Amino acid sequence: MGGSKWRKVKLALGLKLNTCLHEPRTIEDAPPLSAGRLSDAASLSSLPLRRNPTTPTPSSSGLRLSKHSSKSFERTCAICLTSMKPGHGHAIFTAECSHSFHFHCITTNVKHGKRSCPVCRAKWKEIPLQSPVTDKPRGKPLLNNLSWPRDDTWLTVIRQLPPSRLVANQHVSSFFHPVEPRVFDDDERQLPDVTLSSGNDVTDDHSVGVMEVKTYPEVSAVPKSTFHNNFAVLIHLKAPITTRPQLSGINQTSRAPVDLVSVLDVSGSMAGSKLALLKRAVGFVIQNLGPSDRLSVIAFSSTARRLFALRRMTNNGKREALQAVNSLRSNGGTNIVEALKKGAKVMTDRKWKNPVCSIILLSDGQDTYALSSPSGTNTPNTSTDYQSLLPNFMHHDSASDFHIPVHTFGFGVDHDSVSMHSISETSGGTFSFIETESSIQDAFAQCIGGILSVVVQGLRVEIECIDPVLQLISIKSGNYRTIYTSDRRNGTIEVGDLYAEEERDFLVTTDIPIDGSSDETSLLKVRCIYKDPVSTHLVTPNSATDVKIQRPVLTGQGVVSLEVDKQWNRLRSAEAMEEARVAAERGDLAAAVSALENCRKRLSETISARAGDSLCLALDAELQEMQERMANRRVYETTGRAYVLSGLSSHSWQRATARGDSMDSTGLLHAYQTPSMVDMVNRSQTMVFESSSPRPSIRPSRSFPAQPRPR
């Protein structure tokens, strides 16, 4: 670039000539990096891409950053990791400490409140500032599609994005907000509605497919002269696959758009490979969001700040979201309270609303700040009522029709699993335990694989007794809210949202009376009512499902339904897990292990287990894993408690969670995974593993060898 052109660029940027800003004329002119500490952003490119599937690391110390000489960064901006070669139309800023960066990258950091070098952390006396821009220089993109370092998988998303197209004389508003507004009503408006919202040509049943409803009585026949108490009927539900037709001429997606708030721990304990892998995982999430989806990111340490408002993930939105996430660095304590309040505020204050919304919260430590302090100062937290931090309408058992689940992720062995589990249970979300650093992206992938496939909202299962003598004894629904009428002739299960092809099983018990006058008894009528999240139409099936049994004079030995039997096994296993957790918390690990062992023994004697049912095999493997994680107090405190709580979260909602270090869909501990979750995890693992390496078939379900059981 000639000298006159360089001056024009400076004038267009509204800058004065100074010694800090210069035009590099040759490669040799670029100053070498000093031997300072690499920033977390720069360390992304030096992360090893391969994970060893057969040697999981139980602690954060197991992952090392590969060594890079400073020479590999001589021509690379440490913020965006792109080349700083001459002739690419980017101004170069050289700081007092001799480190160089793209000028637009470093001014973004300054807008974010950073006044020190991202590489060596030296405090600057001269701060680079950029004047407001009204005329963008001839449609230059914010980031060009340059050659990224080959081993930087996380930033491939930027490389894949087309250049941003800016109209001449178009006003460019700042994406980052150095000062947060009092009310978070600055969310970006959604795209114009191009979905099938007014539907003369599409019926409700065809918009999202049909909910599958099946019923299984405990036995098919009860003798006329027999009274059968606690007779069980299984209600099995399966959500449809999205089958929405495409609109001609429009690149129409077949799912509902999502509002997602990511609340990320960037405290001092997240330094190094933890933060770099978190950035990579969030980058994967950003890459898989669509232009109708909106994302906001909250970063927290001693305090919490919103990196950016809810923003549509268009190409420009993704590019700038990645840049904001890449600017994160770790320091300070862990203020989960402030972070959760701010994440909820983004959802409550937003002006526009997408039909599906969720919050994901990740932390690797204990909350070091109390919910409230009598002295008015922050003190170490001993007991926090996290439920009170969520607005009432976000509680899953509230009367509101608009729930916002918080999916929590406990990272490593030092996080507060009890608090994270409490937050997720209150809101209707799930709690996942990420034991090893290398599993974080797969855990996020499984979660968003579900969130991005919601096909049913506000599902209610209505149960009605048909025979005039019958009453509902119980409805085994886990954490789902159940409502009975005063005469217990009717009941309702409020299920809420379902992912594509997600399944739910509920056991209903009633007493079968003696009936000598009829050859058949009609027991229950089951009906499902739900909303299509895209068209917002209420879907009501034309007919309900009836449950009937035969009433012969005499019957032989009744054959118990395998489907009913294995669901009883699931419920009893969950009860044993809770019993073991309570015993372990009071310090009686021997009683905890005994409760799990007794459950395994009863499980092995059931007809479904003897038939080799896969769910029973998974339950036995899970119970055994929990026994080993209760081998002694140290093991329980470090991994056992979080593992058990994550398992209880999974069973109570019948939804997949990440547990331990295994995220392989073929493992035994993933009974609730949906096809969309499996696809997203496979996509994550394909990105992380080098293409020349074969993917492992099965990862170990346990991260450490079996420990001796307490006596």
Side-chain angles (χ1 to χ4, degrees), residues 240-554:
I241 307 173
T242 302
T243 56
R244 187 179 309 282
Q246 303 294 304
L247 296 179
S248 58
I250 300 176
N251 185 16
Q252 159 81 20
T253 60
S254 57
R255 64 170 178 84
V258 172
D259 281 347
L260 181 64
V261 176
S262 297
V263 184
L264 309 175
D265 187 345
V266 292
S267 59
S269 58
M270 288 289 295
S273 59
K274 277 187 178 181
L275 184 59
L277 285 165
L278 174 61
K279 291 179 181 180
R280 207 172 260 178
V282 177
F284 176 82
V285 173
I286 292 170
Q287 181 186 19
N288 285 280
L289 295 177
S292 298
D293 301 316
R294 301 190 303 172
L295 174 71
S296 179
V297 175
I298 308 292
F300 71 95
S301 53
S302 300
T303 59
R305 61 188 173 95
R306 187 189 66 168
L307 294 189
F308 51 87
L310 274 172
R311 172 76 184 263
R312 285 196 294 113
M313 288 295 100
T314 58
N315 289 331
N316 286 340
K318 289 182 178 181
R319 192 186 314 276
E320 293 170 340
L322 287 166
Q323 201 170 22
V325 171
N326 194 33
S327 70
L328 293 173
R329 61 181 183 183
S330 57
N331 58 68
T334 305
N335 196 336
I336 299 176
V337 169
E338 186 64 27
L340 189 59
K341 289 168 64 176
K342 192 152 290 187
K345 182 176 173 62
V346 171
M347 286 297 191
T348 54
D349 289 359
R350 58 190 168 146
K351 186 180 298 183
W352 316 100
K353 291 180 174 65
N354 272 332
V356 178
C357 51
S358 287
I359 297 174
I360 57 176
L361 166 65
L362 177 138
S363 178
D364 76 329
Q366 304 279 330
D367 193 336
T368 52
Y369 296 86
L371 180 60
S372 59
S373 174
S375 61
T377 60
N378 288 327
T379 57
N381 178 36
T382 55
S383 177
T384 302
D385 180 16
Y386 287 97
Q387 298 183 10
S388 65
L389 300 178
L390 295 171
N392 287 333
F393 77 88
M394 289 181 63
H395 292 208
H396 78 90
D397 57 355
S398 70
S400 171
D401 292 331
F402 196 72
H403 296 153
I404 303 175
V406 181
H407 300 284
T408 59
F409 296 82
F411 192 13
V413 298
D414 297 320
H415 71 277
D416 188 347
S417 57
V418 175
S419 298
M420 301 291 274
H421 180 258
S422 173
I423 293 168
S424 65
E425 292 292 284
T426 301
S427 64
T430 54
F431 165 61
S432 292
F433 168 39
I434 307 173
E435 187 174 1
T436 58
E437 297 174 7
S438 58
S439 299
I440 182 172
Q441 182 170 302
D442 291 348
F444 274 22
Q446 177 175 268
C447 183
I448 67 166
I451 293 172
L452 297 180
S453 66
V454 172
V455 293
V456 168
Q457 284 192 307
L459 172 62
R460 297 197 317 274
V461 182
E462 297 180 348
I463 306 165
E464 177 188 353
C465 294
I466 301 176
D467 189 283
V469 182
L470 294 183
Q471 287 184 320
L472 298 175
I473 304 301
S474 67
I475 300 176
K476 306 294 185 181
S477 60
N479 276 355
Y480 293 105
R481 185 185 184 196
T482 302
I483 304 171
Y484 298 93
T485 56
S486 57
D487 58 1
R488 297 188 77 89
R489 296 267 304 155
N490 294 270
T492 302
I493 309 171
E494 297 183 350
V495 181
D497 295 0
L498 287 184
Y499 305 149
E501 299 181 81
E502 195 168 33
E503 301 178 39
R504 292 291 181 270
D505 291 287
F506 303 111
L507 281 171
V508 180
T509 61
T510 185
D511 292 339
I512 306 296
I514 297 173
D515 186 358
S517 61
S518 176
D519 294 333
E520 184 181 74
T521 298
S522 295
L523 304 180
L524 305 173
K525 188 184 295 291
V526 180
R527 181 191 301 269
C528 292
I529 301 173
Y530 55 94
K531 185 176 70 173
D532 175 351
V534 177
S535 70
T536 70
H537 291 169
L538 196 64
V539 181
T540 305
N542 295 327
S543 61
T545 302
D546 291 354
V547 184
K548 301 177 181 180
I549 58 172
Q550 301 300 311
R551 304 304 301 268
V553 176
L554 293 174

Side-chain angles (χ1 to χ4, degrees), residues 12-15 102-108 110-111 127-133 136-137 142:
L13 293 173
L15 303 169
H102 287 129
F103 185 75
H104 64 259
C105 293
I106 201 63
T107 53
T108 298
V110 171
K111 286 181 182 179
I127 305 299
L129 296 173
Q130 184 170 339
S131 301
V133 182
K136 193 75 177 176
L142 179 65

